[in-house]
Amino acid sequence: MGEGDSVLTEVKSLNEECGVFGVWGHPEAARLNYFGLHSLQHRGQEGAGIVANHQGALKGHRNVGLISEVFKDERELERLKGDSAIGHVRYGTAGSGGINNIQPFLFKFYDEEIALAHNGNLINAKSLRLELEQAGAIFHSNSDTEVLMHLIRRSKEAQFIDKLKESLKTVKGGFAYILMTSDAMIGALDPNGFRPLSIGQMKNGAYVLASETCALDVVGANFVRQVMPGEIVIINDEGYTIETYTDDTTMAICSMEYIYFARPDSDIAGVNVHTARKNMGRRLAEEAPIDADIVIGVPNSSLSAASGYAEKSGIPYEMGLIKNQYIARTFIQPTQELREQGVRMKLSAVRGVVAGKKVVMVDDSIVRGTTSRRIVQLLKEAGAKEVHVRIASPPLRYPCFYGIDIQTREELIAANHSVSEIKDLIFADSLSFLSEEGLIESIGLNFDAPYSGLCMAYFNGDFPTDLYDYEADYLKSLGTAPVLK
Amino acid sequence: MGEGDSVLTEVKSLNEECGVFGVWGHPEAARLNYFGLHSLQHRGQEGAGIVANHQGALKGHRNVGLISEVFKDERELERLKGDSAIGHVRYGTAGSGGINNIQPFLFKFYDEEIALAHNGNLINAKSLRLELEQAGAIFHSNSDTEVLMHLIRRSKEAQFIDKLKESLKTVKGGFAYILMTSDAMIGALDPNGFRPLSIGQMKNGAYVLASETCALDVVGANFVRQVMPGEIVIINDEGYTIETYTDDTTMAICSMEYIYFARPDSDIAGVNVHTARKNMGRRLAEEAPIDADIVIGVPNSSLSAASGYAEKSGIPYEMGLIKNQYIARTFIQPTQELREQGVRMKLSAVRGVVAGKKVVMVDDSIVRGTTSRRIVQLLKEAGAKEVHVRIASPPLRYPCFYGIDIQTREELIAANHSVSEIKDLIFADSLSFLSEEGLIESIGLNFDAPYSGLCMAYFNGDFPTDLYDYEADYLKSLGTAPVLK
Amino acid sequence: MGEGDSVLTEVKSLNEECGVFGVWGHPEAARLNYFGLHSLQHRGQEGAGIVANHQGALKGHRNVGLISEVFKDERELERLKGDSAIGHVRYGTAGSGGINNIQPFLFKFYDEEIALAHNGNLINAKSLRLELEQAGAIFHSNSDTEVLMHLIRRSKEAQFIDKLKESLKTVKGGFAYILMTSDAMIGALDPNGFRPLSIGQMKNGAYVLASETCALDVVGANFVRQVMPGEIVIINDEGYTIETYTDDTTMAICSMEYIYFARPDSDIAGVNVHTARKNMGRRLAEEAPIDADIVIGVPNSSLSAASGYAEKSGIPYEMGLIKNQYIARTFIQPTQELREQGVRMKLSAVRGVVAGKKVVMVDDSIVRGTTSRRIVQLLKEAGAKEVHVRIASPPLRYPCFYGIDIQTREELIAANHSVSEIKDLIFADSLSFLSEEGLIESIGLNFDAPYSGLCMAYFNGDFPTDLYDYEADYLKSLGTAPVLK
Amino acid sequence: MGEGDSVLTEVKSLNEECGVFGVWGHPEAARLNYFGLHSLQHRGQEGAGIVANHQGALKGHRNVGLISEVFKDERELERLKGDSAIGHVRYGTAGSGGINNIQPFLFKFYDEEIALAHNGNLINAKSLRLELEQAGAIFHSNSDTEVLMHLIRRSKEAQFIDKLKESLKTVKGGFAYILMTSDAMIGALDPNGFRPLSIGQMKNGAYVLASETCALDVVGANFVRQVMPGEIVIINDEGYTIETYTDDTTMAICSMEYIYFARPDSDIAGVNVHTARKNMGRRLAEEAPIDADIVIGVPNSSLSAASGYAEKSGIPYEMGLIKNQYIARTFIQPTQELREQGVRMKLSAVRGVVAGKKVVMVDDSIVRGTTSRRIVQLLKEAGAKEVHVRIASPPLRYPCFYGIDIQTREELIAANHSVSEIKDLIFADSLSFLSEEGLIESIGLNFDAPYSGLCMAYFNGDFPTDLYDYEADYLKSLGTAPVLK
């Protein structure tokens, strides 16, 4: 599975919901957003936007497509003058509301202008929206992001920051928000810290907020600190201050950020993502050794784990799969033959490397199994004698409600089949998953929280929060598809 | 240096001139071209086109951009009906004639229709063009490709194939041509075989021609044989036949195809590219060992060599540099700070991996040195204690006239500086290049030809042909910039 | 002055705000909207959209540009399935909010879906918006149209139609609304009937609503009746019913619809627009006769009046000015010479017709005078001996607040200069305007209302309503620019 | 029939082949081309281009679409620097070769650069092309224009102007060429002067060449003289000189230029087009009077004739048909009802004007009769009591080979039916055509040549030249479709 890009477009895979970025205090704020969002592009490819603040007046540009497509005409960047700007890259299902859902949202009121960008998923958005609509609110997008703005505008608090705090207490789920008003840029994190959000500082003193530290690096900003659960960071011309809107916090960083989503050069909670993945691979080699000729990883997200597996096992690490670096739309192909070639457009097996070999194929995770099956087939067609699949994370058996785009258990192969059954379904010669302990120890967080501060709900159903709007459906799904271990 | 994509757009780097592809005998010939050309996209990103043959009538579509952009609207593919089709991806400098230069060229005469696609560079095109214009010929592109068609149409031979043979004897330099007429698809290779060209066959019997075998794989075609120097392959509804237009041949495969251009999953002359690169890395470890903590490769083209170096040296292979998989235009940035961030948009150092480490940085080649210097800087800014640069090929000291876009010695750092000087210029702690013998033995060809069948002119100035139109300028350049070893 | 198209783009001229259209009960509802909106294109060229109702579910497409540009790809029309659809063409100043302001607006609530299109201008929108925002409402456009939806959703009435009636009583000014819910299409007109709105019926029984009857003709619908001031027409699968939301109505049809905006083939309140204009020309010939050789009209909107003038006066009607039927953007030209040529791109004088002649030039109105001056110059440069300007309406001395884009008196030449001064400013040999009585009698309405049912406020400042949000500024403008007669 | 725009797109109608324009000696030469070509847009809407000459170096831009679409981005105009430029608007059937056929053609040779634009049609192009291809020439377009350049380049003459003269003697048919070399702009007209070409001069001394004088007016150039049959005009920094390449000339101006193609504000051979048309209408009123209530013209090309008819007959001239000024693509409509509405999108009858009236409908010509039938139907549906069709030209019975896009007699209704039959086919109550004498006298040329210098071949088959490549097919067509009078 590639980063944010499935082997088959028809297979809806794990998808992060969005990346956020912001700069306060640099004359080229919009251009810095362009750089920063480009480095966060793996977090969402459906749409992008930037809102800039020019002497208190906000102006934005957003559209469907990659950030480089949205700002294909450089004049669009030049129009976004100002010393501060926030931006967003969006993941969204096709046809999910078009341009109306692309962020940052820009609201203009008689008394203030506010831009808002959101990474995550609220779990009580549906009921809040119902309440708000019943009270006369009009929504203009499908997005749950808009809920926050309605709460803020309806708050009876006197100060903006207090309205915001009140609203943040009302919304539930996973969220890393960046807001921009005329005179401040504000970041806010949910009480579990599901999504990462970091503060950086540039040489000229400008402050930067970003979903991942790779975006700090790209603009040459030094890492200052992570935003912590329940915190609000307020950045203005005076500097930055941290406030909290709740003390009822428990760290539960999304483990999939380490496993799959985040860029290897990012650090989350002080842990480098590449290093964590390499550790997962090493641990996997200990937990599930196999006699083989070569170890290969599924590019790009599994290469770190594969090299760890190779190093630990002593089996040579080889480049047995090549990902085409150019992205092409796979049209719906009229024949089965063409559909299979469509797969090979994206990923190829290196015949000269794998032919006649016993191959350990390391992947980060298995969602539906379709992709794994195709890759095993690719390798066998290229002459691999045996293909031993090693997954550098535990089986995905539960949905996520905090910002990952899998909300039903039906689509998860491991929720419906045993490991042995999955092995057969994907035509592998053997199959092993990393243990939950192995995952936790490989990442190596040490927060005073369950699982050392990781959210492990995917794997064990232990959700760090109540499920609100999702609870009924979830319980129903447990009934119809009993959990297999 | 990434495949076909320099770290800095302002640094004009090594660039392949084009990739060619063709299918004869499959009802989805145009779609197969789309797949095949996508897998050859690394050979040229400036333009692309396909010409299809529908019951003897040829129709084409071409435009600037990636193949996925040229055929963004699927209806353009659907218009290209027919059982055979040839295609082209073009590398070309910006503004080099626009759409007129994008291939395949499609010519319609009173007596026949011919499509023509070309990979390579002619060295007597300028003088041939002058002669032809003086004889009344009108050219419609800047491209040297058009020359062949004028020669064919002016030939006094009776049969098309004889006209073609006569013309192929007249043009000099590097060329892999694919032509399509109403009733045949024809491939032709220059007498030195500078550029690769392979024949494959699909399950339904359709024949495929392609610059690289990765394009055979992508359409599920089996490799049949390589087209050899001086050969013409004629494919029609009866099957394929091989003819020769000259016996005066000497194999001199472009060594840069192995070092840098070709995709790792391609085989050239029976040698897998990834394997050749890994061997170069292993040999480099023997020739230029160093005491270090980690080995890293410059993505993507140097990863194979780096893993070879690591394996042989026993130093751990790490992912110390990350290439952004999304391609974005780097606008001309107004300030130095922004320009440096533009570099980081494309390539990032992984701080968590390299900080405090003695790093062996393996790259495939050094052209101007600018890119190497920037990468060394990136690594040092990310905390690398030492950066030892190991280049998996010998120093580039001479231009190429057979299809690589470097035609003057002034731009080659190794033509103007000693290895020790280069080390200082790129801020490396040490620098070594692979030896010429090391390169030849790593690739391991065994043709009965100089350098076992490789063109080594880049490294030693031993050009396999006379230089024709380029000779005067080349000799002059030797005078002004004496060769350093 | 051409219809909706000034001679010079830099001269902001009279501009209608929008056209609306809707069909209920025809399987090709969206295509009929395309036809109908194309025939209303003269009412707005900045943006267009259609919302279709497919079995109760609403789906829309809108964008900047002409309707033919917005639906350039026919597949966009095909996506809009359903038996009913409403559409809108928008006039809007450049940069006035972009796509967010293009209608129909489509709102999706938990309990209903509503589409809304508006022709006209509210005069208390600003204060209503302020009140609504203070009560927590969030607006997503600059448009005053959105206000109505907030009022509807906040209404305490039980039934949708009662919510709508209550809201219609709250908004003030000029409006012809078309709304579409899951099960009905609704038209509503302001208490003065400033904007026209007609009901038609197709042969298959489908009902049509349209700003002008020309749009009924284009889809082959028969005229049923005009919507009257204070009326709501509710169309559903049972047929249509008329209700009223207020009895406090006074007919005051915008006289500029007859003079300039509407298409000549439309009927408004039973009066054909071409015929009304021809009458204005005839009356003008009586009121302001002149000894001349030929009569010419400024294409296209003044041709009817010019032919009336010619017929009555017995002076031959000639085609002395030609409007280029192709629309081209006039770039901002670097020199005065180029700017003048830019004018001639749009309008040319026919030298062979006007040279040596005493010309009566009939135009529908004078706004700033700039255009008139340029046309007089064009005619004189083409050799006209004398140019006698005859305006087929009274002098424009007051702004409009009900849907015409002139809201300040400073830009109106007749608000600041006497007729004699204007004559000199536009270089005319003589100048006359139609009298107010002449205008009223030429149109020939006979409603029991001031001015027989016309709004004459442009000419005499007699506004049919209070001015609400505009009152203060208007009174101030009267002070600074005293009214000249 | 509108100018260059049929009522129904599916009806291929009379179409001019192209307009040419050029400026020598003005710093804004490309912008002036933009203005001039816009005023010639009615002569061709399929493609447009401009080539500018900057200090002897030629650079061009061309594309499909209107001139305003081709130069939508003003930067394309700014790129075309230089003191001289030539341009072209092209009429061409859809799919006729795409961008390759769009002019001006720009040729770059080792010894010179030449741009070439052509209005007209060669009648021996096919045989010349065959000869040239047999001699090794390669053509890159379908256009017959390219032939001239091959002839020039293959000429054995020493001087460019002599090569050109020799080539002009070789090509046969209708042509008005504009060429531009590094140091001159050259116009050339065929020996019959079928197509108009005029010389103008701007205030700064710059010379202008244009297909119609309306384009001189638009750039503020004074008319200098018409280019005469057999003449070459050479414009360079010294001024202009006239040479002749043949004395064997006979004036035969295309009568359809006066009847239909040219803009009313243009003069051709000293006769204003509007005035000629008005005279045709007056003469038609004398030749074919009728008792009726109103006279209407089919917009836009028949309005002049209609006003002439009205004036002479004393019957009031009315605006009974309205052409939508906005151009929209008529998609292929799925039902007959929608197809009829598609017609009404372009042209509407004014019910209030025609209802209950006996109408004289004046049109300029009848080609297939389809359009006339639809318009008569429109008028009757709008309530016209009687529709008397009066055509301001004689019946079209013969094809044209000199630049009008009707080359077979099968499509001409008057070649296959009597006037009485046509009347019935178009549902008219009566039908009359202008006589040939009436046409000639209305235009009023007095050249010493047949028909006073008009080409009347359309009407009487009296072609001014041999027919060369078209002769065989033409004679065959006479056999199968005997001429009706």
PDB file of all heavy atoms in Angstrom, chain B residues 411-431:
ATOM      1  N   GLU B 411      29.502  22.573 -18.340  1.00  0.00           N
ATOM      2  CA  GLU B 411      28.568  22.355 -17.245  1.00  0.00           C
ATOM      3  C   GLU B 411      28.928  21.153 -16.369  1.00  0.00           C
ATOM      4  O   GLU B 411      28.342  20.970 -15.310  1.00  0.00           O
ATOM      5  CB  GLU B 411      27.142  22.222 -17.791  1.00  0.00           C
ATOM      6  CG  GLU B 411      27.045  21.359 -19.020  1.00  0.00           C
ATOM      7  CD  GLU B 411      25.683  21.503 -19.752  1.00  0.00           C
ATOM      8  OE1 GLU B 411      24.722  21.936 -19.115  1.00  0.00           O
ATOM      9  OE2 GLU B 411      25.621  21.156 -20.948  1.00  0.00           O
ATOM     10  N   LEU B 412      29.908  20.358 -16.780  1.00  0.00           N
ATOM     11  CA  LEU B 412      30.263  19.152 -16.033  1.00  0.00           C
ATOM     12  C   LEU B 412      31.337  19.467 -15.007  1.00  0.00           C
ATOM     13  O   LEU B 412      32.482  19.780 -15.349  1.00  0.00           O
ATOM     14  CB  LEU B 412      30.771  18.069 -16.989  1.00  0.00           C
ATOM     15  CG  LEU B 412      29.733  17.545 -17.981  1.00  0.00           C
ATOM     16  CD1 LEU B 412      30.390  16.665 -19.035  1.00  0.00           C
ATOM     17  CD2 LEU B 412      28.628  16.790 -17.260  1.00  0.00           C
ATOM     18  N   ILE B 413      31.012  19.333 -13.749  1.00  0.00           N
ATOM     19  CA  ILE B 413      31.956  19.713 -12.705  1.00  0.00           C
ATOM     20  C   ILE B 413      33.235  18.876 -12.794  1.00  0.00           C
ATOM     21  O   ILE B 413      34.346  19.385 -12.614  1.00  0.00           O
ATOM     22  CB  ILE B 413      31.299  19.620 -11.301  1.00  0.00           C
ATOM     23  CG1 ILE B 413      32.176  20.314 -10.245  1.00  0.00           C
ATOM     24  CG2 ILE B 413      31.000  18.192 -10.919  1.00  0.00           C
ATOM     25  CD1 ILE B 413      31.486  20.462  -8.890  1.00  0.00           C
ATOM     26  N   ALA B 414      33.095  17.593 -13.166  1.00  0.00           N
ATOM     27  CA  ALA B 414      34.269  16.717 -13.195  1.00  0.00           C
ATOM     28  C   ALA B 414      35.138  16.952 -14.421  1.00  0.00           C
ATOM     29  O   ALA B 414      36.265  16.453 -14.497  1.00  0.00           O
ATOM     30  CB  ALA B 414      33.840  15.247 -13.118  1.00  0.00           C
ATOM     31  N   ALA B 415      34.624  17.702 -15.385  1.00  0.00           N
ATOM     32  CA  ALA B 415      35.461  18.057 -16.526  1.00  0.00           C
ATOM     33  C   ALA B 415      36.346  19.252 -16.199  1.00  0.00           C
ATOM     34  O   ALA B 415      37.262  19.580 -16.932  1.00  0.00           O
ATOM     35  CB  ALA B 415      34.586  18.366 -17.747  1.00  0.00           C
ATOM     36  N   ASN B 416      36.037  19.892 -15.093  1.00  0.00           N
ATOM     37  CA  ASN B 416      36.714  21.135 -14.774  1.00  0.00           C
ATOM     38  C   ASN B 416      37.390  21.138 -13.407  1.00  0.00           C
ATOM     39  O   ASN B 416      38.076  22.099 -13.061  1.00  0.00           O
ATOM     40  CB  ASN B 416      35.698  22.289 -14.830  1.00  0.00           C
ATOM     41  CG  ASN B 416      35.098  22.443 -16.216  1.00  0.00           C
ATOM     42  OD1 ASN B 416      35.724  22.998 -17.107  1.00  0.00           O
ATOM     43  ND2 ASN B 416      33.898  21.900 -16.413  1.00  0.00           N
ATOM     44  N   HIS B 417      37.155  20.088 -12.634  1.00  0.00           N
ATOM     45  CA  HIS B 417      37.729  20.049 -11.288  1.00  0.00           C
ATOM     46  C   HIS B 417      38.198  18.640 -10.957  1.00  0.00           C
ATOM     47  O   HIS B 417      37.619  17.658 -11.419  1.00  0.00           O
ATOM     48  CB  HIS B 417      36.675  20.487 -10.259  1.00  0.00           C
ATOM     49  CG  HIS B 417      36.278  21.916 -10.399  1.00  0.00           C
ATOM     50  ND1 HIS B 417      37.037  22.965  -9.951  1.00  0.00           N
ATOM     51  CD2 HIS B 417      35.198  22.472 -10.991  1.00  0.00           C
ATOM     52  CE1 HIS B 417      36.437  24.107 -10.233  1.00  0.00           C
ATOM     53  NE2 HIS B 417      35.326  23.842 -10.874  1.00  0.00           N
ATOM     54  N   SER B 418      39.205  18.572 -10.106  1.00  0.00           N
ATOM     55  CA  SER B 418      39.678  17.275  -9.621  1.00  0.00           C
ATOM     56  C   SER B 418      38.700  16.744  -8.576  1.00  0.00           C
ATOM     57  O   SER B 418      37.883  17.495  -8.038  1.00  0.00           O
ATOM     58  CB  SER B 418      41.052  17.440  -8.976  1.00  0.00           C
ATOM     59  OG  SER B 418      40.917  18.180  -7.777  1.00  0.00           O
ATOM     60  N   VAL B 419      38.796  15.448  -8.299  1.00  0.00           N
ATOM     61  CA  VAL B 419      37.919  14.852  -7.294  1.00  0.00           C
ATOM     62  C   VAL B 419      38.071  15.575  -5.953  1.00  0.00           C
ATOM     63  O   VAL B 419      37.093  15.837  -5.256  1.00  0.00           O
ATOM     64  CB  VAL B 419      38.216  13.344  -7.153  1.00  0.00           C
ATOM     65  CG1 VAL B 419      37.472  12.765  -5.951  1.00  0.00           C
ATOM     66  CG2 VAL B 419      37.823  12.603  -8.429  1.00  0.00           C
ATOM     67  N   SER B 420      39.275  15.922  -5.637  1.00  0.00           N
ATOM     68  CA  SER B 420      39.509  16.602  -4.360  1.00  0.00           C
ATOM     69  C   SER B 420      38.849  17.968  -4.343  1.00  0.00           C
ATOM     70  O   SER B 420      38.233  18.387  -3.350  1.00  0.00           O
ATOM     71  CB  SER B 420      41.023  16.720  -4.137  1.00  0.00           C
ATOM     72  OG  SER B 420      41.288  17.657  -3.135  1.00  0.00           O
ATOM     73  N   GLU B 421      38.929  18.661  -5.476  1.00  0.00           N
ATOM     74  CA  GLU B 421      38.249  19.964  -5.561  1.00  0.00           C
ATOM     75  C   GLU B 421      36.730  19.804  -5.456  1.00  0.00           C
ATOM     76  O   GLU B 421      36.058  20.589  -4.786  1.00  0.00           O
ATOM     77  CB  GLU B 421      38.583  20.655  -6.889  1.00  0.00           C
ATOM     78  CG  GLU B 421      40.005  21.228  -6.952  1.00  0.00           C
ATOM     79  CD  GLU B 421      40.386  21.678  -8.364  1.00  0.00           C
ATOM     80  OE1 GLU B 421      39.584  21.452  -9.305  1.00  0.00           O
ATOM     81  OE2 GLU B 421      41.469  22.243  -8.528  1.00  0.00           O
ATOM     82  N   ILE B 422      36.221  18.775  -6.121  1.00  0.00           N
ATOM     83  CA  ILE B 422      34.765  18.561  -6.077  1.00  0.00           C
ATOM     84  C   ILE B 422      34.320  18.305  -4.648  1.00  0.00           C
ATOM     85  O   ILE B 422      33.316  18.836  -4.184  1.00  0.00           O
ATOM     86  CB  ILE B 422      34.348  17.377  -6.982  1.00  0.00           C
ATOM     87  CG1 ILE B 422      34.738  17.662  -8.435  1.00  0.00           C
ATOM     88  CG2 ILE B 422      32.852  17.115  -6.885  1.00  0.00           C
ATOM     89  CD1 ILE B 422      34.572  16.467  -9.371  1.00  0.00           C
ATOM     90  N   LYS B 423      35.093  17.469  -3.949  1.00  0.00           N
ATOM     91  CA  LYS B 423      34.775  17.194  -2.540  1.00  0.00           C
ATOM     92  C   LYS B 423      34.580  18.505  -1.766  1.00  0.00           C
ATOM     93  O   LYS B 423      33.607  18.665  -1.020  1.00  0.00           O
ATOM     94  CB  LYS B 423      35.909  16.376  -1.902  1.00  0.00           C
ATOM     95  CG  LYS B 423      35.713  16.148  -0.398  1.00  0.00           C
ATOM     96  CD  LYS B 423      36.936  15.539   0.256  1.00  0.00           C
ATOM     97  CE  LYS B 423      38.053  16.552   0.509  1.00  0.00           C
ATOM     98  NZ  LYS B 423      37.813  17.459   1.657  1.00  0.00           N
ATOM     99  N   ASP B 424      35.507  19.449  -1.973  1.00  0.00           N
ATOM    100  CA  ASP B 424      35.388  20.713  -1.256  1.00  0.00           C
ATOM    101  C   ASP B 424      34.185  21.513  -1.728  1.00  0.00           C
ATOM    102  O   ASP B 424      33.471  22.127  -0.941  1.00  0.00           O
ATOM    103  CB  ASP B 424      36.668  21.542  -1.450  1.00  0.00           C
ATOM    104  CG  ASP B 424      37.857  20.892  -0.732  1.00  0.00           C
ATOM    105  OD1 ASP B 424      37.617  20.017   0.133  1.00  0.00           O
ATOM    106  OD2 ASP B 424      39.007  21.248  -1.059  1.00  0.00           O
ATOM    107  N   LEU B 425      33.961  21.485  -3.048  1.00  0.00           N
ATOM    108  CA  LEU B 425      32.869  22.287  -3.601  1.00  0.00           C
ATOM    109  C   LEU B 425      31.502  21.820  -3.107  1.00  0.00           C
ATOM    110  O   LEU B 425      30.559  22.608  -3.011  1.00  0.00           O
ATOM    111  CB  LEU B 425      32.905  22.232  -5.135  1.00  0.00           C
ATOM    112  CG  LEU B 425      34.026  23.053  -5.787  1.00  0.00           C
ATOM    113  CD1 LEU B 425      34.167  22.679  -7.264  1.00  0.00           C
ATOM    114  CD2 LEU B 425      33.745  24.542  -5.644  1.00  0.00           C
ATOM    115  N   ILE B 426      31.393  20.527  -2.849  1.00  0.00           N
ATOM    116  CA  ILE B 426      30.085  20.033  -2.402  1.00  0.00           C
ATOM    117  C   ILE B 426      30.043  19.848  -0.889  1.00  0.00           C
ATOM    118  O   ILE B 426      29.080  19.306  -0.350  1.00  0.00           O
ATOM    119  CB  ILE B 426      29.684  18.718  -3.115  1.00  0.00           C
ATOM    120  CG1 ILE B 426      30.617  17.556  -2.707  1.00  0.00           C
ATOM    121  CG2 ILE B 426      29.673  18.880  -4.636  1.00  0.00           C
ATOM    122  CD1 ILE B 426      30.165  16.204  -3.249  1.00  0.00           C
ATOM    123  N   PHE B 427      31.068  20.329  -0.187  1.00  0.00           N
ATOM    124  CA  PHE B 427      31.099  20.316   1.275  1.00  0.00           C
ATOM    125  C   PHE B 427      31.081  18.905   1.857  1.00  0.00           C
ATOM    126  O   PHE B 427      30.639  18.692   2.999  1.00  0.00           O
ATOM    127  CB  PHE B 427      29.923  21.114   1.862  1.00  0.00           C
ATOM    128  CG  PHE B 427      29.833  22.516   1.344  1.00  0.00           C
ATOM    129  CD1 PHE B 427      28.586  23.129   1.175  1.00  0.00           C
ATOM    130  CD2 PHE B 427      30.973  23.259   1.030  1.00  0.00           C
ATOM    131  CE1 PHE B 427      28.486  24.436   0.716  1.00  0.00           C
ATOM    132  CE2 PHE B 427      30.877  24.565   0.566  1.00  0.00           C
ATOM    133  CZ  PHE B 427      29.636  25.147   0.401  1.00  0.00           C
ATOM    134  N   ALA B 428      31.564  17.905   1.087  1.00  0.00           N
ATOM    135  CA  ALA B 428      31.572  16.525   1.583  1.00  0.00           C
ATOM    136  C   ALA B 428      32.806  16.294   2.448  1.00  0.00           C
ATOM    137  O   ALA B 428      33.841  16.955   2.277  1.00  0.00           O
ATOM    138  CB  ALA B 428      31.570  15.551   0.411  1.00  0.00           C
ATOM    139  N   ASP B 429      32.709  15.348   3.355  1.00  0.00           N
ATOM    140  CA  ASP B 429      33.865  14.994   4.176  1.00  0.00           C
ATOM    141  C   ASP B 429      34.802  14.065   3.436  1.00  0.00           C
ATOM    142  O   ASP B 429      35.987  14.019   3.715  1.00  0.00           O
ATOM    143  CB  ASP B 429      33.383  14.387   5.498  1.00  0.00           C
ATOM    144  CG  ASP B 429      32.695  15.438   6.347  1.00  0.00           C
ATOM    145  OD1 ASP B 429      33.393  16.291   6.917  1.00  0.00           O
ATOM    146  OD2 ASP B 429      31.454  15.445   6.381  1.00  0.00           O
ATOM    147  N   SER B 430      34.256  13.286   2.526  1.00  0.00           N
ATOM    148  CA  SER B 430      35.100  12.546   1.596  1.00  0.00           C
ATOM    149  C   SER B 430      34.273  12.275   0.356  1.00  0.00           C
ATOM    150  O   SER B 430      33.042  12.377   0.392  1.00  0.00           O
ATOM    151  CB  SER B 430      35.615  11.235   2.206  1.00  0.00           C
ATOM    152  OG  SER B 430      34.594  10.256   2.222  1.00  0.00           O
ATOM    153  N   LEU B 431      34.945  11.970  -0.730  1.00  0.00           N
ATOM    154  CA  LEU B 431      34.243  11.737  -2.000  1.00  0.00           C
ATOM    155  C   LEU B 431      34.986  10.678  -2.786  1.00  0.00           C
ATOM    156  O   LEU B 431      36.217  10.756  -2.927  1.00  0.00           O
ATOM    157  CB  LEU B 431      34.195  13.041  -2.825  1.00  0.00           C
ATOM    158  CG  LEU B 431      33.730  12.901  -4.281  1.00  0.00           C
ATOM    159  CD1 LEU B 431      32.260  12.481  -4.362  1.00  0.00           C
ATOM    160  CD2 LEU B 431      33.946  14.219  -5.026  1.00  0.00           C
TER     161      LEU B 431
END
